[in-house]
Amino acid sequence: MITPIDVGYLGVMGAANAFLVRGPQGHVLVECGPAACFDTLVAGLRAHACAPTDIGDLLLTHIHLDHAGGAGHLAAQGARVHVHPFGKPHLVDPAKLIASSRRVHGGAYDRFYGDLLPVPQHSIVEARDGARITAGGLRWRALHTPGHAHHHVVWMLEHEAERHAFMGDLAGILVPESRHIAVPTPPPEFDPQAWRTSLGRVFTEGPSHLWLTHGGCVAKHPRDVEAFLHRALARLAETTEWLQDAVKRADAEVVPEGLARERTLAAEDGVNDRRMREFIDEAFVRMNLGGARRAFLPRD
Ligand SMILES: [Zn+2]
């Protein structure tokens, strides 16, 4: 019923997924990857006998461009786009979103994120906390789960005895071929307290399956889901602890320290050299420090 489509984010296979969900009454897509990867997404859909015009509903966990950049392209093919109300204005007018992503990603922006199309107002359905929808003939529920981003939602899909949680970035990034969870804390809305509370809500839901946009299906049994969520909580705690101290010091000192620290932890979790270069790099550390400064330092 659920097929991960690798969108080839950053030119890396295994970096980000969209999820094609076939229901009794149609096709649903959870996430869509960046606009720059739209052709890869379409090829992936076609490989599973699905055309972009077959997607009736696109469910977004949040509007960061690696999850939602292609939303305007899918809306142009007729998809309804479901997003938290806090994210809606930035899909309708993506100018601010583009500017903030350019600040975070610098020169890499054009290569990796591509040309966004605005999503028309009438194509957007607001997904408030607890919202229940039927899409593809399946029952879905939105959980507002701030922490990584203020407008983040987890999508719960209940099907027969299964309870699938589409986590977006809430349980971090699972580096392929390893057990390492990296925790992305980008500006401007990283909030560790809210993040912990949001993970607690997912625990309470008792999912049977956990789907990570960056990682795919990481658990297929409630016992494994619990174990994964505990590890994600622990990684969030240790990442936050280091960041809280690091933001008080100069970049020249903390960027190399943070990179060495992340790489040591990743190596302990079995990350190989290639994946280390692809996933745990200086840009990742700088992004996390940027989010932590907004969260922990007083602003003038
Ligand atoms: Zn994100």
Side-chain angles (χ1 to χ4, degrees):
M1 180 178 63
I2 303 170
T3 309
I5 308 280
D6 194 322
V7 298
Y9 173 51
L10 305 174
V12 172
M13 295 316 279
N17 295 290
F19 299 106
L20 173 62
V21 184
R22 291 163 202 276
Q25 288 162 32
H27 296 77
V28 179
L29 199 64
V30 182
E31 318 279 50
C32 61
C37 299
F38 191 67
D39 290 347
T40 313
L41 171 70
V42 170
L45 291 173
R46 290 200 190 283
H48 292 91
C50 176
T53 47
D54 294 337
I55 303 294
D57 294 273
L58 168 64
L59 277 49
L60 298 173
T61 61
H62 63 304
I63 60 168
H64 290 165
L65 298 184
D66 48 332
H67 298 252
H73 294 263
L74 269 175
Q77 311 263 356
R80 273 180 300 273
V81 179
H82 300 255
V83 68
H84 190 272
F86 295 159
K88 176 180 174 179
H90 303 293
L91 293 186
V92 175
D93 176 7
K96 261 191 177 171
L97 189 58
I98 294 169
S100 113
S101 297
R102 277 191 197 279
R103 272 198 301 279
V104 174
H105 299 288
Y109 177 89
D110 293 308
R111 241 177 334 136
F112 296 134
Y113 295 97
D115 292 325
L116 265 69
L117 292 180
V119 182
Q121 292 259 13
H122 64 81
S123 299
I124 298 183
V125 183
E126 293 189 4
R128 292 174 194 279
D129 187 39
R132 291 172 188 276
I133 60 162
T134 303
L138 298 164
R139 288 183 302 136
W140 302 80
R141 195 154 41 87
L143 293 182
H144 183 212
T145 45
H148 169 79
H150 191 36
H151 60 278
H152 193 289
V153 300
V154 164
W155 286 101
M156 295 294 305
L157 166 62
E158 286 160 29
H159 180 67
E160 295 171 355
E162 296 177 351
R163 294 163 71 81
H164 297 264
F166 291 88
M167 297 296 287
D169 285 344
L170 191 70
I173 295 165
L174 184 69
V175 179
E177 298 117 38
S178 83
R179 63 190 298 278
H180 188 64
I181 301 170
V183 179
T185 69
E189 294 164 352
F190 166 51
D191 179 342
Q193 186 83 42
W195 198 325
R196 276 191 293 276
T197 305
S198 292
L199 276 168
R201 284 196 72 190
V202 178
F203 265 108
T204 310
E205 290 287 322
S208 60
H209 292 64
L210 217 53
W211 298 85
L212 270 57
T213 306
H214 310 287
C217 188
V218 298
K220 296 178 182 168
H221 186 282
R223 184 189 55 228
D224 300 330
V225 168
E226 265 197 37
F228 194 94
L229 292 176
H230 275 297
R231 287 210 295 124
L233 268 170
R235 287 288 295 130
L236 173 65
E238 65 191 12
T239 302
T240 302
E241 194 183 325
W242 181 80
L243 285 168
Q244 255 168 332
D245 173 66
V247 294
K248 298 173 197 153
R249 295 184 279 135
D251 262 14
E253 182 188 351
V254 294
V255 170
E257 179 186 312
L259 183 59
R261 181 184 169 281
E262 280 290 322
R263 288 196 160 168
T264 301
L265 292 169
E268 285 169 10
D269 286 337
V271 174
N272 63 39
D273 289 350
R274 190 183 115 218
R275 294 307 194 177
M276 196 73 87
R277 285 192 300 277
E278 289 171 344
F279 283 79
I280 314 290
D281 60 3
E282 194 180 302
F284 181 74
V285 175
R286 285 186 186 278
M287 177 187 78
N288 278 6
L289 283 163
R293 283 203 183 90
R294 285 290 290 254
F296 301 133
L297 295 182
R299 277 191 285 153
D300 31 53

